[in-house]
Amino acid sequence: MRKNLILLLCCVVLIFTGCGPKQEMVKKELFGTYKGGEVYLLTLTNKDGNVLKLTNFGARITWIELPDRNGNKDNVTFGFDTFDGMVAGDRYFGAVVGRYANRIARGKFTLDGVEYTLPINNGPNSLHGGPDGWHSVVWNIEIVEKTEYPTVKFTYRSPDMEAGYPGNMDVEALYTWTDNNEIIIDYTLTTDKKTVFNITNHAYFNLHGAGNGDILDHELMIKASRFVPVDTFLIPTGEYRPVAGSPFDFTTPHKVGERINENYDQLIFGKGYDHTFVFDNTDEVDATVYEPVSGRFMEVISDQPGVQFYCGNFLTGKMIGHGGKPYNYRSGLCLETGHCPDSPNQPAFPSTVLNPGETFKSRTIYRFSVK
Ligand code: BGC
């Protein structure tokens, strides 16, 4: 009797001090090896049991499992079930992209009178830091302990002249998966030589569930009264164009597919939407996506100057992702926050230069809920 009482007391103490059995917030499992580096799958589980999976191959998001309005869970981002599938597949799905996300015209830019040459991997241009950019390197992992939410920090040292860019650059991507179903990404960058950069996350979203049809019925809002028109190689013309009166006006919600086939020069050049929208920079939410069938809703909040809205115009269905599902034409959309393409060659755009002694810090949040 006395023993039972002591046992009961111990349990009460354990429960109240929070020392009882606790759900593991971050699980780390070996996923594969790449060029001698160990690649892990990190499973982050929040209070509601919703799961975010990350991997240090490209510091990428590979799984976001969320309920619809009836509580049925599905994964809403593109990725692969196996490591081999991931390496053989589209390298950008969910990855952190750098040193320069998006295009640099003809793979050349000049800094303090020195011309730098980058790998050409997209028509005549350099795209996403070249073929071996940050999306395809093995990052270091730190599971951040003593935090309220599951948190993983990826770090990488990008060596001087990597893919043609000057300066050793230290880059950090800190992912936090909150109980409010928010993925918070905090980027920190430093360099030891003057350089240029543009960092983003390249997740594809389909709020029906990845691989479940197209995204043309997703209702998109972007708080941007201007966007960046491009030429046929998707290089900016150098101006900003007002969205008013055009199929690029998403200042109020519109279905992605509503105006996509209109005879408008930029939709023809981009083969659909594949453009940077310049945020109006309110302190509120910068973009939202609503999918009416499941009720899933995504908000994007960022301190970056704009967002590349890309609606999967180059997806062909050849990429087979999670659960053996093909990722078909326009079956995913990206909202890649960052600077404008080709900024190092475009004097009118905000500067993408980073100097030694400076620290670039930036935060983007993808917040999920249902309506
Ligand atoms: C670009 C697209 C490109 C895609 C590659 C996007 O950031 O804007 O043009 O095809 O990345 O995954």
Side-chain angles (χ1 to χ4, degrees), residues 47-342:
K47 190 184 76 214
D48 289 340
N50 295 326
V51 169
L52 169 71
K53 289 187 191 176
L54 307 172
T55 167
N56 60 322
F57 180 64
R60 66 182 70 191
I61 298 172
T62 179
W63 181 269
I64 312 168
E65 193 180 302
L66 293 161
D68 64 11
R69 67 161 81 78
N70 300 315
N72 299 316
K73 291 192 183 184
D74 206 342
N75 161 51
V76 299
T77 200
F78 286 9
F80 301 94
D81 289 330
T82 63
F83 177 69
D84 290 345
M86 189 169 71
V87 171
D90 187 305
R91 295 268 180 114
Y92 304 121
F93 289 176
V96 169
V97 177
R99 196 174 288 197
Y100 200 95
N102 216 300
R103 292 168 178 82
I104 294 194
R106 304 192 181 278
K108 290 207 183 294
F109 70 94
T110 303
L111 205 54
D112 290 342
V114 178
E115 188 181 75
Y116 293 93
T117 302
L118 314 170
I120 302 296
N121 60 339
N122 186 260
N125 304 315
S126 189
L127 176 71
H128 295 332
D132 303 313
W134 296 350
H135 58 277
S136 66
V137 299
V138 177
W139 296 53
N140 303 312
I141 306 170
E142 185 194 329
I143 298 175
V144 184
E145 307 283 354
K146 298 199 179 112
T147 48
E148 199 179 351
Y149 305 121
T151 304
V152 173
K153 187 195 281 182
F154 294 119
T155 55
Y156 175 64
R157 166 160 277 216
S158 167
D160 188 23
M161 295 311 289
E162 182 184 46
Y165 293 90
N168 290 298
M169 188 168 239
D170 285 307
V171 45
E172 184 181 301
L174 180 78
Y175 285 93
T176 306
W177 177 226
T178 76
D179 290 341
N180 206 18
N181 295 326
E182 295 160 308
I183 304 172
I184 303 178
I185 315 176
D186 287 301
Y187 302 108
T188 307
L189 306 179
T190 55
T191 181
D192 63 2
K193 268 190 206 152
K194 189 169 179 178
T195 191
V196 296
F197 74 97
N198 184 27
I199 190 164
T200 196
N201 179 284
H202 203 305
Y204 286 72
F205 301 99
N206 182 327
L207 300 184
H208 291 293
N212 300 344
D214 65 44
I215 44 76
L216 298 175
D217 65 346
H218 285 41
E219 294 168 14
L220 174 70
M221 188 282 297
I222 311 178
K223 277 202 195 127
S225 36
R226 296 169 303 165
F227 78 104
V228 176
V230 292
D231 66 15
T232 49
F233 290 110
L234 295 170
I235 294 298
T237 58
E239 344 126 79
Y240 293 143
R241 189 186 288 184
V243 297
S246 83
F248 283 67
D249 189 350
F250 286 97
T251 53
T252 55
H254 284 272
K255 286 196 191 299
V256 172
E258 186 186 316
R259 300 161 297 179
I260 202 166
N261 294 320
E262 282 186 18
N263 189 17
Y264 185 74
D265 66 341
Q266 287 302 313
L267 285 171
I268 296 163
F269 294 172
K271 300 183 174 54
Y273 297 104
D274 194 353
H275 294 78
T276 299
F277 288 69
V278 185
F279 288 143
D280 290 340
N281 267 331
T282 53
D283 288 335
E284 304 148 34
V285 168
D286 295 297
T288 62
V289 183
Y290 176 59
E291 188 277 284
V293 181
S294 69
R296 291 193 184 95
F297 184 61
M298 179 174 84
E299 294 163 281
V300 183
I301 300 137
S302 181
D303 54 15
Q304 297 248 42
V307 66
Q308 180 79 10
F309 165 45
Y310 168 60
C311 66
N313 306 312
F314 300 116
L315 296 169
T316 59
K318 278 196 195 132
M319 251 352 127
I320 309 296
H322 287 303
K325 292 180 181 173
Y327 295 140
N328 292 319
Y329 181 57
R330 293 183 176 158
S331 66
L333 63 84
C334 302
L335 289 166
E336 305 155 51
T337 59
H339 277 259
C340 302
D342 199 36

